[in-house]
Amino acid sequence: MSPLLHHHPPNNDSFTNIVSGFNWESSKKKGGWYNFLIKSIPEIAASGITHVWLPPPSHSASSEGYLPGRLYDLDASQYGTQDELKTLIKEFHSNGIQCVADIVINHRTAERQDSDGRWNIFEGGTPDDRLDWDHSCICIDDITKSGDTTTNSGGTGNPDTGADFNGAPDIDHLNTRVQRELSDWMNWLKTEIGFDGWRFDFAKGYSPDITKLYMRNTRPEFAVGEIWNPLSYGSDGKPNYDQDGHRRELTEWVKAVGGSATAFDFTTKGILQAALVEGELWRLKDSNGGPPGMIGLVPENAVTFVDNHDTGSTQKHWPFPSDKVMQRYVYILTHPGFPSIIYDHFFDWGLKEEISKLAMIRIKNGIRASSTVRILASDPDLYVAAIDDKIIAKIGPRYEAGHLVPTNFRIATCGNDYVV
């Protein structure tokens, strides 16, 4: 265990493969996304997937769910109704798959304006006053921007404890009513709807102490935070070789949350993306001889990924090059950390068979989030690593690497510029 953290790692360390059960266009699906996704559960279960990350479930000002308003109103979701969601989760559970809810609580959209015309009167979506907030639950320094227009929502709460979100009022998470009622809502998502865990959206928008409080109050089986900060870049426009500061921001967040949550390993994504695009696979070994991302420090708290609905899908804010995607999956599905697969790659790109092979190889050989990596080569055109001395992964265009592989190892799968 890393000397940075002294804790019990997240549950299900042994065999955890995550798939995002939606993309940026899913809310537009005719007939409802929940009703569509339920048909894919047998394929997902047969591919060694243990967890599915589902979209934000509540009423929202945006169809995708990331501008939530009436949090208890699941029937107003563009993905389907509350009953359809419960049926979907029940079917996932019957196939041995846990369901992770996308928790968007940094900000909320108001139901109506106050007497001064400011949007700061919230409705929870129930007959009683749960989550029926006003300006006192908005951060006093909150600013909302729409195009060139900047507005003050009239918040009178505590100052924001994290980064500002310009698209909707930032909620005051130091307010004890906010803490209590959001905790109650998340526990309702567990007990009434059936969710097992959380994905904290825009988790840098509030203090990790706040996330720690919600973790303690709701006790999810699995949780992951989105802490997306830019890498450090050199004068040549490329990411610097040393990204230790970037990955330590992630590990410090996990430590501050209490060690029971994970974080998306944006460091590994950025480094591997640069390594494959530039033909600089030497980037995949840090100065200490280990993996250069978060998985090189606290792999048992890192969720590795190729893309998600923000970086890839149809938004493409930071997409992984399409011709390098399978090499990336070779890396995350053979290496430590909790690997996460994006829906688009699994179903829409025709990569399900190749990804499933890698997922089953991971399970068959008992590769875990905390597995060890021994890097055998990290040259510009060749990367070879042994994981737990059970799997050897080769990435890169150089064909000859036989001298690095013991004679008792056999090829399990292979493809364009990769062999496992």
Side-chain angles (χ1 to χ4, degrees), residues 325-347:
V325 162
M326 277 311 303
Q327 295 173 55
R328 173 65 165 132
Y329 277 115
V330 168
Y331 189 92
I332 70 170
L333 285 167
T334 60
H335 280 56
F338 296 99
S340 179
I341 302 160
I342 187 173
Y343 180 91
D344 307 58
H345 295 160
F346 195 74
F347 285 106

Side-chain angles (χ1 to χ4, degrees), residues 276-293:
L276 288 169
V277 169
E278 303 293 341
E280 298 172 344
L281 296 177
W282 48 264
R283 291 177 176 272
L284 300 183
K285 183 169 71 172
D286 68 13
S287 58
N288 296 316

Side-chain angles (χ1 to χ4, degrees), residues 22 34 53-60 63-68 77-79 85 101-104 195 199 201 309:
F22 67 105
Y34 299 148
W53 158 21
L54 295 175
S58 302
H59 158 265
S60 171
S63 63
E64 299 84 7
Y66 290 92
L67 293 174
S77 168
Q78 294 299 304
Y79 297 99
L85 176 58
D102 206 325
I103 300 296
V104 186
F195 280 108
R199 179 256 184 191
D201 176 73
H309 64 276

Side-chain angles (χ1 to χ4, degrees), residues 154-173:
T156 59
N158 291 288
D160 201 342
T161 60
D164 186 44
F165 180 84
N166 292 328
D170 283 0
I171 298 304
D172 174 18
H173 288 277

Side-chain angles (χ1 to χ4, degrees), residues 56-314:
S58 302
H59 158 265
S60 171
S62 63
S63 63
E64 299 84 7
Y66 290 92
L67 293 174
R70 301 189 302 271
L71 293 179
Y72 276 102
D73 187 357
L74 274 54
D75 284 329
S77 168
Q78 294 299 304
Y79 297 99
T81 67
Q82 176 173 313
D83 285 343
E84 289 167 353
L85 176 58
K86 291 175 68 173
T87 299
L88 176 69
I89 292 175
K90 184 178 180 180
E91 188 64 21
F92 270 119
H93 285 167
S94 68
N95 282 269
I97 297 172
Q98 293 195 359
C99 296
V100 178
D102 206 325
I103 300 296
V104 186
I105 54 175
N106 170 73
H107 50 272
R108 264 184 93 185
T109 54
E111 185 78 8
R112 60 186 184 276
Q113 296 168 295
D114 66 7
S115 58
D116 294 321
R118 296 174 296 191
W119 290 91
N120 58 24
I121 306 299
F122 301 90
E123 165 61 45
T126 66
D128 55 36
D129 66 351
R130 284 175 293 169
L131 296 172
D132 292 356
W133 301 339
D134 60 14
H135 57 84
S136 65
C137 295
I138 300 175
C139 295
I140 193 169
D141 50 358
D142 174 70
I143 295 294
T144 300
K145 295 180 181 179
S146 178
D148 295 330
T149 303
T150 300
T151 58
N152 186 315
S153 56
T156 59
N158 291 288
D160 201 342
T161 60
D164 186 44
F165 180 84
N166 292 328
D170 283 0
I171 298 304
D172 174 18
H173 288 277
L174 295 178
N175 184 307
T176 55
R177 179 185 177 186
V178 168
Q179 295 174 359
R180 181 180 68 255
E181 294 190 355
L182 284 179
S183 296
D184 289 345
W185 171 69
M186 292 165 69
N187 280 320
W188 176 81
L189 289 178
K190 284 178 62 180
T191 58
E192 176 64 25
I193 309 304
F195 280 108
D196 304 285
W198 319 129
R199 179 256 184 191
F200 289 103
D201 176 73
F202 199 71
K204 68 178 183 179
Y206 42 92
S207 164
D209 289 336
I210 298 300
T211 309
K212 183 178 182 179
L213 179 145
Y214 292 130
M215 288 288 293
R216 183 176 67 244
N217 289 350
T218 64
R219 299 190 176 277
E221 290 292 320
F222 184 87
V224 57
E226 179 200 31
I227 310 292
W228 184 1
N229 293 316
L231 302 180
S232 64
Y233 287 83
S235 57
D236 59 359
K238 295 181 182 180
N240 291 320
Y241 165 70
D242 184 0
Q243 296 291 336
D244 195 57
H246 188 273
R247 64 177 175 175
R248 286 189 182 276
E249 286 183 350
L250 298 174
T251 60
E252 287 302 316
W253 181 86
V254 167
K255 180 180 179 182
V257 169
S260 58
T262 64
F264 284 110
D265 190 351
F266 280 94
T267 317
T268 290
K269 173 180 167 58
I271 292 173
L272 189 54
Q273 201 154 314
L276 288 169
V277 169
E278 303 293 341
E280 298 172 344
L281 296 177
W282 48 264
R283 291 177 176 272
L284 300 183
K285 183 169 71 172
D286 68 13
S287 58
N288 296 316
M294 187 183 179
I295 61 170
L297 296 179
V298 285
E300 67 274 19
N301 291 94
V303 173
T304 54
F305 66 105
V306 177
D307 271 319
N308 58 36
H309 64 276
D310 287 324
T311 66
S313 193
T314 55

